[in-house]
Amino acid sequence: MSAADQRVRDDLNAVLDQGGRSSRAVVRIEQLHKAFGSLAVLKGVDLEVDRGEVVVILGPSGSGKSTLLRCVNLLEKPTAGDIFFEDVRITDPKVNINQVREKVGMVFQSFNLFPHLSAKRNVMLAQRQVLKRSKQEAERIALEQLEKVGLGDRVEYLPAQLSGGQQQRVAIARALAMDPHVMLFDEATSALDPELVRGVLDVMRSLAEAGMTMIVVTHEMGFAREVADRVIFMDDGAIVEEGSPLEVFDHPKHERTRDFLGHIA
């Protein structure tokens, strides 16, 4: 490892060893662009998310919401621009992104559970393989997190024995077991039947109340109104409007925002 590589790694370790404490935003995005071939999906996005803040991103399909979220932990590699996680520029190729991802929990539309493993073992697996926790510690934390998401009586169930909402709560427990500094939710309820959505949203509300930093892409307007500290409206790869839920929902400034909200009201 070169001296420069070691300095970048040391800077990252220093931030993470402090429990992620930082005087600046947890996530800072500067002039982010992302293109797939000739298709420009993100067009110069700037965004900061503070510690403990819940930011909800709204917008029509194809507006770049999910791509923006996936860029935060480099599941999609930006075409241009920079992303900082707790003051570390993770778009620097010298940064070990896998080390950063350990502190970024992500919940997708699909649950991505291992079908042959119980709920408990699904939550234990990454703890054992990535964080190198002992079996006893990983099991203790898995049971704690499953209890928190209301599945304390389902720990030995296989995914096929759980409803879609319960599987999504296992996925949330799995992410929380890694002690993330920020949670990313990409349409976490969109694949669920309407009667199953409430349980997942209740878990997300409880995380917000506990002070978890969250970036949430969703079409759940009630959740955005009640839980978000800030609402972002995106269209055509750019942030069109942002503000408090009251400002965006009740007093939108831009015609595109008003049109979008009018169609979903």
Side-chain angles (χ1 to χ4, degrees):
M1 179 182 295
S2 70
D5 289 350
Q6 185 62 54
R7 282 195 300 273
V8 171
R9 186 179 182 88
D10 289 346
D11 288 345
L12 177 60
N13 284 331
V15 171
L16 299 182
D17 288 345
Q18 292 166 12
R21 302 302 178 200
S22 167
S23 61
R24 305 173 73 176
V26 177
V27 175
R28 189 168 84 256
I29 297 169
E30 297 180 350
Q31 281 300 295
L32 189 67
H33 292 258
K34 175 62 182 177
F36 296 95
S38 61
L39 177 63
V41 177
L42 297 177
K43 304 173 183 178
V45 173
D46 293 302
L47 179 64
E48 289 193 4
V49 180
D50 293 333
R51 189 168 311 283
E53 187 178 21
V54 178
V55 174
V56 172
I57 304 176
L58 309 176
S61 297
S63 59
K65 309 182 302 294
S66 292
T67 299
L68 174 61
L69 206 65
R70 291 172 64 85
C71 282
V72 171
N73 60 358
L74 298 192
L75 290 177
E76 296 290 354
K77 185 177 179 181
T79 305
D82 281 312
I83 302 171
F84 296 81
F85 177 72
E86 296 180 332
D87 298 338
V88 174
R89 185 167 68 92
I90 65 173
T91 39
D92 185 332
K94 299 184 181 68
V95 167
N96 181 346
I97 188 58
N98 290 323
Q99 191 176 14
V100 175
R101 286 180 181 140
E102 292 175 11
K103 299 299 180 183
V104 181
M106 188 158 187
V107 179
F108 301 87
Q109 296 180 36
S110 56
F111 319 128
N112 297 325
L113 301 179
F114 290 99
H116 63 291
L117 298 181
S118 68
K120 180 180 72 176
R121 291 181 65 198
N122 264 285
V123 179
M124 289 176 62
L125 187 63
Q127 296 185 67
R128 298 274 285 138
Q129 293 188 347
V130 178
L131 300 184
K132 307 302 181 184
R133 286 174 176 158
S134 69
K135 180 180 178 181
Q136 293 77 13
E137 184 182 15
E139 182 174 25
R140 175 183 62 79
I141 292 171
L143 293 175
E144 287 177 357
Q145 295 300 340
L146 287 167
E147 182 69 33
K148 286 181 181 178
V149 299
L151 294 175
D153 59 345
R154 297 288 191 274
V155 298
E156 298 297 346
Y157 282 42
L158 294 173
Q161 297 172 302
L162 300 171
S163 70
Q166 290 170 333
Q167 291 183 59
Q168 190 63 292
R169 282 186 275 159
V170 173
I172 294 172
R174 177 179 59 190
L176 293 174
M178 303 297 285
D179 299 326
H181 294 184
V182 61
M183 285 285 290
L184 313 177
F185 292 89
D186 186 12
E187 299 281 12
T189 60
S190 65
L192 302 178
D193 292 333
E195 64 268 24
L196 302 178
V197 169
R198 181 175 177 178
V200 174
L201 292 181
D202 284 346
V203 170
M204 294 170 66
R205 284 189 183 92
S206 68
L207 291 177
E209 291 168 359
M212 174 63 73
T213 308
M214 297 164 59
I215 309 175
V216 182
V217 171
T218 186
H219 289 295
E220 297 291 339
M221 299 299 128
F223 176 86
R225 276 185 175 273
E226 297 168 19
V227 180
D229 296 301
R230 184 157 41 112
V231 175
I232 306 288
F233 174 68
M234 290 187 66
D235 188 45
D236 194 27
I239 293 176
V240 174
E241 185 160 357
E242 65 178 294
S244 70
L246 178 64
E247 290 170 332
V248 173
F249 285 111
D250 295 342
H251 306 287
K253 298 181 178 65
H254 294 271
E255 181 179 352
R256 184 66 187 94
T257 314
R258 291 193 292 269
D259 180 63
F260 174 80
L261 294 174
H263 280 90
I264 63 173

